């Protein structure tokens, strides 16, 4: 038993023996797990903003070897880019489960990692299983998940697990610690650079606390810690510098505002009417618990939380072409810090009541998510069905209305046209095929007609003007130039089914007028 577990047992020796029983915590964990996974069982395409685009990419990766249309449009350029975990897990599952189920399996794994990571970390520090970290189930559904940051969120759960293993191996030989850390660095590198950085800051902060409390400032222990900390990261520094992602190292944007917005994005779900009372109740519960002395914070956790907060404040908004580079750290701060917090359930007088309240709160959160997913999924499913009106191997140009409506439905629809890759083996102009960010590429003969820079969706007025330009834009070539000749279909997002009319009847023929979108066939005889 490690020194950290001994301290945890001494600190919580007064706990009821029934709380210690692993099977009790296991049953509670299974209940919470069933709750948070429930929305995935009745939602074919979870309405997460970027998720449909990622899912379509998975279909292309899985289907290229045996699909004539997909292999004509796309190719795979394997490279050690830090954004591969979904590409490695989902495509091998597609032949067995289909792409929609395989995608939901990945989402489910992501939710479970975020839920279970703090539990294992708490167990490592405290020496016993506790239901307390299950409160993390209240926040596995958050604004960053709804944005569709799938690989990063998977990496957050893995980073917390990695920190737990690092702590458990304290005192072991340097080689064992370094090899274990190397394994986690490998997983986290292919998740996301931010996840790897989260893990690195977490273990470095804990190691600093350990050396400080043990007064181990002699050269030998410092050297051992430095080797165990630093050596596992060196191969991935090399991979990063030699990968296409390094070409995006100049894509850095600093914004002083938006830090508080990141916190609200993490805490919120869909509706202020439910979010605000919910968060107020949580704040009241935390205040009462602190006032009664029920909450304790492992001192190492204070250092970890402080270092991560400084990183959050110092990070740019965009790094290596990845937007929300600073804001997404909030998720890591919460789930990594949660494992360092303990609650004296014995002094609550009825720990079963605590769990019951926690379970009801999680259920309330899940019901709120489920209700909105049902509403959002209706136009998404309509768009998905309308894509089947296109022939196999069609080429689709994605645009948006000049004054698109705002709201959650529009955000969920923003990448839904890429489902044409799944439904019709189509070439879609907005599929994620950005060098340095994805390994999927459009073949050279098509790369000039798709977005390879992860830019904004063009507005329909820009498209109409481009059709009238014989020599293209004076600013340089755009992938939608000469679109009437290259593409077969065009979709406009953010439309009103009652008020939006055909923007160019001589060029476009309406195929489907849906809720929030219009699908057109491009007239080749124009």
């Amino acid at each position: 038993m490690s020194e950290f577990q001994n301290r945890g047992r001494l600190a919580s020796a007064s706990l009821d023996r029934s709380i210690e029983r692993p099977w009790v915590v296991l049953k509670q964990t299974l209940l919470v797990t069933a709750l948070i996974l429930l929305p995935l069982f009745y939602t074919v395409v979870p309405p997460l903003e970027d998720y449909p685009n990622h899912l379509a990419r998975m279909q292309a990766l899985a289907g290229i070897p045996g699909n004539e249309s997909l292999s004509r449009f796309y190719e795979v350029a394997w490279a050690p880019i830090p954004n591969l975990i979904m590409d490695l897990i989902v495509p091998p599952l597609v032949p067995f489960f289909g792409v929609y189920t395989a995608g939901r399996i990945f989402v489910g794994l992501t939710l479970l990692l975020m839920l279970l990571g703090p539990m294992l970390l708490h167990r490592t520090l405290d020496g016993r299983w506790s239901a307390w970290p299950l409160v993390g189930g209240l926040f596995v559904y958050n604004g960053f998940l709804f944005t569709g940051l799938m690989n990063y969120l998977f990496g957050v759960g893995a980073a917390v697990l990695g920190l737990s293993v690092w702590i458990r191996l304290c005192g072991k030989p340097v080689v064992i610690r370094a090899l274990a850390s190397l394994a986690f660095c490998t997983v986290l590198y292919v998740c996301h650079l931010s996840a790897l950085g989260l893990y690195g800051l977490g273990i470095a902060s804990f190691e600093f606390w350990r050396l400080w409390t043990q007064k181990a400032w002699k050269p030998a222990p410092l050297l051992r810690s430095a080797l165990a900390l630093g050596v596992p990261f060196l191969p991935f520094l090399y991979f990063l510098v030699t990968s296409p992602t390094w070409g995006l190292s100049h894509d850095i944007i600093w914004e002083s505002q938006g830090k508080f917005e990141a916190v609200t994005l993490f805490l919120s779900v869909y509706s202020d009417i439910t979010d605000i009372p919910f968060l107020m109740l949580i704040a009241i519960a935390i205040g009462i618990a602190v006032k009664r002395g029920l909450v304790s914070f492992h001192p190492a956790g204070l250092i970890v939380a402080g270092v991560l907060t400084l990183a959050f404040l110092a990070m740019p908004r965009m790094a290596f072409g990845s937007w929300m580079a600073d804001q997404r750290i909030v998720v890591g701060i919460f789930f990594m810090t949660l494992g360092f917090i303990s609650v004296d359930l014995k002094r609550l007088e009825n720990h079963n009541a605590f769990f019951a309240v926690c379970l009801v709160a999680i259920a309330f959160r899940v019901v709120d998510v489920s209700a909105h997913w049902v509403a959002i999924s209706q136009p998404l499913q309509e768009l998905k069905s309308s894509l089947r009106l296109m022939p196999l191997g069609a080429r689709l140009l994605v645009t948006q209305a000049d004054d698109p409506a705002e709201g959650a439905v529009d955000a969920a629809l923003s990448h839904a046209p890429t489902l044409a890759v799944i439904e019709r083996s189509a070439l879609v102009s907005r599929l994620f095929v950005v060098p340095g960010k994805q390994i999927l590429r459009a073949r050279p003969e098509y790369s000039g007609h798709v977005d390879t820079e992860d830019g904004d969706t063009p507005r329909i007025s820009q498209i109409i003007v481009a059709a009238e330009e014989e020599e293209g834009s004076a600013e340089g070539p755009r992938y939608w130039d000469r679109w009437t000749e290259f593409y077969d279909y065009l979709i406009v997002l953010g439309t009103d089914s009652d008020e939006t009319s055909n923007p160019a009847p001589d060029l476009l023929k309406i195929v489907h007028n849906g809720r929030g979108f219009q699908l057109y066939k491009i007239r080749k005889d124009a």
Side-chain angles (χ1 to χ4, degrees), residues 10-154:
L10 291 174
S12 55
S14 64
L15 286 176
D16 190 344
R17 295 295 300 177
S18 64
I19 302 177
E20 297 181 32
R21 297 173 184 173
W23 65 269
V24 174
V25 178
L26 176 62
K27 290 195 300 183
Q28 295 169 337
T29 303
L30 291 176
L31 282 172
V32 173
T33 298
L35 269 177
I36 65 173
L37 295 181
L38 185 61
L40 299 178
F41 284 94
Y42 59 79
T43 308
V44 176
V45 183
L48 314 174
E49 186 171 349
D50 288 353
Y51 176 75
N53 206 319
H54 292 306
L55 194 66
R57 218 165 28 83
M58 298 305 105
Q59 177 65 25
L61 291 172
I64 283 176
N67 186 300
E68 182 179 351
S69 295
L70 291 177
S71 61
R72 183 173 75 251
F73 294 142
Y74 303 107
E75 61 184 359
V76 181
W78 285 102
I81 64 174
N83 194 27
L84 287 175
I85 192 66
M86 193 174 187
D87 302 44
L88 296 174
I89 292 178
V90 175
L93 298 177
V94 171
F96 302 99
F97 301 101
V99 69
Y100 292 114
T101 300
R104 282 179 288 164
I105 289 174
F106 182 82
V107 175
L109 289 174
T110 301
L111 298 177
L112 288 179
L113 279 173
M114 288 193 288
L115 176 70
L116 300 179
M119 289 198 69
L120 185 59
L121 177 57
H122 187 277
R123 168 68 174 80
T124 301
L125 291 165
D126 192 62
R128 69 185 73 221
W129 293 105
S130 171
W132 151 249
L134 289 174
V135 299
L138 294 169
F139 299 101
V140 293
Y141 287 101
N142 56 74
F144 294 96
L145 177 71
F146 301 148
T147 302
L149 305 182
M150 305 311 305
N151 285 351
Y152 170 71
L153 293 176
F154 188 99

Side-chain angles (χ1 to χ4, degrees), residues 234-255:
L234 294 179
F236 305 100
L237 177 60
Y238 170 79
F239 288 147
L240 175 62
V241 172
T242 57
S243 75
T245 304
W246 190 253
L248 303 173
S249 59
H250 62 279
D251 289 347
I252 298 177
I253 297 176
W254 295 84
E255 290 189 5

Side-chain angles (χ1 to χ4, degrees), residues 323-439:
W323 192 247
M324 302 173 74
D326 59 338
Q327 294 177 320
R328 68 182 69 200
I329 297 178
V330 170
V331 186
I333 293 174
F334 174 83
F335 285 103
M336 190 166 279
T337 302
L338 182 62
F340 288 95
I341 300 174
S342 295
V343 173
D344 191 345
L345 299 182
K346 173 64 176 179
R347 291 179 58 193
L348 284 174
E349 298 177 356
N350 192 334
H351 60 272
N352 290 326
F354 162 79
F355 176 73
V357 171
C358 179
L359 195 67
V360 169
I362 294 173
F364 178 80
R365 191 82 157 178
V366 169
V367 168
D368 187 25
V369 170
S370 300
H372 283 85
W373 278 20
V374 168
I376 295 171
S377 293
Q378 292 175 359
L380 194 153
Q381 289 297 323
E382 182 183 1
L383 189 152
K384 173 175 170 287
S385 298
S386 73
L387 296 173
R388 296 172 186 165
L389 299 173
M390 302 190 310
L392 290 172
R395 290 172 284 193
L396 176 65
L397 176 61
V398 181
T399 71
Q400 65 177 348
D402 291 325
D403 187 21
E406 297 181 358
V409 173
D410 299 298
L413 286 180
S414 61
H415 289 275
T418 57
L419 295 177
V421 175
I422 300 173
E423 299 296 328
R424 308 312 292 163
S425 300
L427 177 80
V428 182
S429 63
R430 292 282 286 140
L431 185 67
F432 288 148
V433 289
V434 182
K437 292 186 178 182
Q438 289 88 32
I439 57 171

Side-chain angles (χ1 to χ4, degrees), residues 291-311:
K291 184 176 181 179
R292 294 181 58 184
L294 303 177
V295 178
S296 61
F297 207 128
H298 194 288
L302 295 174
I303 296 177
V304 172
V307 170
L308 293 179
T309 300
L310 289 176

